[in-house]
Amino acid sequence: MTKLQDLPIATLSATAKMPDRVTAALLSLIRAGEYPPGARLPSEMRMATSFGVSRTVIREAVSRLKSEGLVESRQGSGVYVRTGSMDTPFRIDPTVADSVQSLLQIVELRRGLESEIAALAAERRTPAQLAEIRAALAAIEADVAAGGDGVDADMAYHRAIARATGNPHFLALWDFLGQFLRGAMTVTRALEAERQEMGRQVLDEHHALVEAIAAGDPATASAAARHHMVMAAQRIGTLDAGALGA
């Protein structure tokens, strides 16, 4: 079993507050199976000593894990990792935006989601929803032409497509994943501004997706959305390690 003092918490986001860093470190140990379901976490004092923080910080980190449904206190015994249950929420470590590799994993997850969203939008979109999607696309172009980065408009564009599925769960799930991508989108938009060919490529991908949805062609829309995500991953992959922290 990994010892707490062996965990390289210094490699986590240097800008994060200490409770955030300790929470992320404990979460990593739990997810890695170092503390499997039913296992007892070390005492508050031992964790404070191992991490080199106050017991107040440990209490805050443990409280956050409890609120996520990941651990529970047993009176007179300690804190234990909970076994899986239906009320345990899905979560993504908020420090994911600090790592290019982690962002690529989010895009990989999003690839399947966007493909299905596009297919359903092509089947179900109303004239009003199609108009909303087109308006969002026009807003991206207008913002970029005016010297902006187009990120907010880009987010609105993808949300409009998710809304056109008629399934609110797709929209909620897209919002959840989208929050981790805003930073990467900002950086890649800056790259697109410097590289005209890349900017044209993104615009073409957006237009191809809209036209497939407008044509009511689920297969083509799905393929267009998947291609857009594959290319997005390639663009994120061009970022250097320090770009996201800029």
Side-chain angles (χ1 to χ4, degrees), residues 3-37:
K3 296 179 180 179
L4 285 173
Q5 58 264 36
D6 294 334
L7 189 71
I9 64 170
T11 64
L12 298 176
S13 172
T15 61
K17 295 180 180 179
M18 191 56 69
D20 296 332
R21 298 175 69 192
V22 173
T23 301
L26 290 173
L27 180 61
S28 293
L29 286 172
I30 292 171
R31 285 183 169 173
E34 299 295 340
Y35 291 94

Side-chain angles (χ1 to χ4, degrees), residues 121-122 125 130 133-134 208-217 221:
R125 57 84 184 163
L130 178 60
I133 294 169
R134 289 195 186 279
L209 178 52
V210 172
E211 292 313 311
I213 292 172
D217 186 339

Side-chain angles (χ1 to χ4, degrees), residues 2 48 72 169 195:
T2 300
E72 61 183 358
H169 301 301
R195 305 176 190 177

Side-chain angles (χ1 to χ4, degrees), residues 10-64:
T11 64
L12 298 176
S13 172
T15 61
K17 295 180 180 179
M18 191 56 69
D20 296 332
R21 298 175 69 192
V22 173
T23 301
L26 290 173
L27 180 61
S28 293
L29 286 172
I30 292 171
R31 285 183 169 173
E34 299 295 340
Y35 291 94
R40 180 181 181 276
L41 293 184
S43 68
E44 186 178 282
M45 181 175 294
R46 182 186 164 197
M47 287 193 286
T49 300
S50 297
F51 283 122
V53 298
S54 69
R55 294 176 68 175
T56 300
V57 169
I58 297 299
R59 282 194 289 271
E60 172 66 20
V62 171
S63 176
R64 293 182 186 185

Side-chain angles (χ1 to χ4, degrees), residues 41-212:
L41 293 184
S43 68
E44 186 178 282
M45 181 175 294
R46 182 186 164 197
M47 287 193 286
T49 300
S50 297
F51 283 122
V53 298
S54 69
R55 294 176 68 175
T56 300
V57 169
I58 297 299
R59 282 194 289 271
E60 172 66 20
V62 171
S63 176
R64 293 182 186 185
L65 293 179
K66 286 179 182 177
S67 69
E68 295 288 349
L70 296 173
V71 301
E72 61 183 358
S73 293
R74 298 179 187 173
Q75 189 169 0
S77 182
V79 177
Y80 290 78
V81 178
R82 293 186 61 185
T83 56
S85 64
M86 290 299 290
D87 63 350
T88 299
F90 177 76
R91 76 187 301 276
I92 293 176
D93 188 337
T95 62
V96 69
D98 295 334
S99 163
V100 170
Q101 181 58 38
S102 293
L103 278 171
L104 288 173
Q105 292 171 347
I106 297 297
V107 172
E108 186 175 82
L109 178 62
R110 190 178 160 203
R111 187 170 63 209
L113 176 66
E114 293 282 4
S115 296
E116 183 63 16
I117 282 175
L120 290 175
E123 289 180 357
R124 302 173 178 174
R125 57 84 184 163
T126 66
Q129 288 169 336
L130 178 60
E132 181 185 12
I133 294 169
R134 289 195 186 279
L137 179 55
I140 297 174
E141 297 178 15
D143 191 20
V144 171
D149 60 17
V151 171
D152 287 340
D154 201 336
M155 299 283 284
Y157 164 80
H158 286 287
R159 289 190 84 253
I161 295 174
R163 188 179 295 110
T165 65
N167 184 333
H169 301 301
F170 277 115
L171 182 59
L173 186 52
W174 191 92
D175 282 342
F176 177 76
L177 294 177
Q179 66 183 309
F180 298 98
L181 297 167
R182 182 178 290 275
M185 289 174 71
T186 300
V187 176
T188 55
R189 282 285 177 181
L191 283 177
E192 292 161 21
E194 296 173 1
R195 305 176 190 177
Q196 188 174 4
E197 183 179 347
M198 182 182 288
R200 175 88 263 168
Q201 180 186 75
V202 175
L203 185 59
D204 288 345
E205 291 165 19
H206 282 157
H207 275 285
L209 178 52
V210 172
E211 292 313 311

